[in-house]
Amino acid sequence: MLNILIVEDEKDIVEVIEYNLKKEGFKVSKAFDGKKGLKLAQDKRPALIILDLMLPELDGLEVCKKLKGDVRTAEIPVIMLTAKGSEIDRILGLELGADDYITKPFSLRELIARVKAILKRCSQKANESQSVLRFADLEIDIDRHEIKSFGKIVELTAKEFALLRYLAENKDLVMSREKLLDYVWGIEVAIETRTVDVHVRRLREKLGKSGSHIKTLRGVGYKFV
Ligand code: CA
């Protein structure tokens, strides 16, 4: 069951939102001030946060800024509630990284519809980003364990696949041989770092033109570009 956090000090509004979310099958957490809301968000990592702008302790804008600036909570979508319909509030809310806003008074049907729309968007994004890594000429399908270079399937061994996946997931970051050994081979046996070079060479050969994604940084390691 997906958990939704409501941060709002007006208890009757919280109650009515809670009632309607539960009716739709969501689990609900509540906080009546900004500080507690932030704490709950960090502890519970809800699927979505409905965040009021005007809050005691820490206002909604501050809470949103803190949520989006913290790796633990940055990915959690936020719907801002605002009493004022002014454009400034709206823009501010979105500039701070809020995913949507709704002005009070709002219809519950609309709020629920937005909640569902955002959750759907997020789960699609999460699925895509997890299962397929796409580059101009290269596709790495993690679920299917399949690599395509210029639309053609390339057969890789499990180790080569893991190596390519790890490099691609850490695109533009330099990965040392030790790090690659650790991730791809784990603690199996004491393997020389030269093994990594051998595998990268084979991987590059198999990838053909797409092999140029993997850059060698002499004495440092490899990097996917
Ligand atoms: Ca309020």
Side-chain angles (χ1 to χ4, degrees):
M1 223 192 302
L2 290 175
N3 183 22
I4 294 181
L5 171 64
I6 309 168
V7 190
E8 159 70 291
D9 57 321
E10 285 163 77
K11 297 209 161 102
D12 45 348
I13 292 185
V14 173
E15 220 166 83
V16 74
I17 298 176
E18 181 184 14
Y19 174 80
N20 281 276
L21 285 173
K22 282 185 170 167
K23 216 169 68 183
E24 293 290 329
F26 294 108
K27 227 175 108 187
V28 174
S29 304
K30 301 170 280 188
F32 303 109
D33 69 64
K35 257 191 187 159
K36 288 210 182 87
L38 191 61
K39 176 92 182 29
L40 265 186
Q42 288 161 347
D43 293 347
K44 296 215 165 190
R45 313 263 309 258
L48 183 143
I49 301 168
I50 297 172
L51 177 64
D52 188 40
L53 187 64
M54 305 290 278
L55 289 169
E57 300 291 334
L58 205 59
D59 72 37
L61 293 182
E62 277 305 308
V63 174
C64 190
K65 211 163 28 176
K66 286 191 162 43
L67 286 171
K68 295 299 177 185
D70 183 337
V71 287
R72 290 171 295 176
T73 51
E75 297 299 316
I76 304 173
V78 175
I79 299 180
M80 294 282 278
L81 293 182
T82 149
K84 292 174 263 172
S86 79
E87 288 302 314
I88 293 170
D89 284 342
R90 297 180 173 203
I91 291 160
L92 262 181
L94 293 175
E95 267 184 2
L96 283 169
D99 298 77
D100 205 350
Y101 63 87
I102 198 158
T103 47
K104 290 178 182 173
F106 54 86
S107 93
L108 279 156
R109 248 173 71 194
E110 195 189 344
L111 179 63
I112 301 289
R114 299 237 189 145
V115 166
K116 286 183 175 168
I118 289 178
L119 288 175
K120 197 173 157 195
R121 212 161 67 205
C122 289
S123 77
Q124 275 168 351
K125 220 165 67 183
N127 277 341
E128 257 179 31
S129 65
Q130 271 168 18
S131 64
V132 186
L133 297 166
R134 283 194 182 88
F135 307 94
D137 55 314
L138 189 65
E139 245 182 67
I140 305 170
D141 191 325
I142 289 156
D143 289 343
R144 290 198 190 136
H145 227 264
E146 199 176 87
I147 307 281
K148 276 184 191 163
S149 166
F150 293 96
K152 278 200 181 131
I153 291 181
V154 181
E155 301 286 347
L156 295 182
T157 65
K159 292 268 187 282
E160 289 162 353
F161 185 90
L163 196 57
L164 179 61
R165 173 187 173 174
Y166 192 59
L167 284 168
E169 279 178 340
N170 293 286
K171 187 173 167 278
D172 296 326
L173 297 176
V174 181
M175 295 286 130
S176 67
R177 288 173 177 78
E178 289 76 17
K179 224 179 203 171
L180 291 168
L181 264 183
D182 208 36
Y183 176 79
V184 178
W185 282 266
I187 43 166
E188 266 177 27
V189 267
I191 303 173
E192 279 185 70
T193 49
R194 215 187 309 149
T195 308
V196 177
D197 302 335
V198 174
H199 274 78
V200 168
R201 198 168 59 225
R202 258 191 245 140
L203 179 59
R204 273 207 193 108
E205 278 168 16
K206 286 189 180 177
L207 289 174
K209 271 188 187 165
S210 299
S212 60
H213 280 289
I214 304 168
K215 297 274 176 238
T216 307
L217 289 107
R218 295 237 172 272
V220 187
Y222 295 97
K223 154 165 116 168
F224 188 96
V225 291

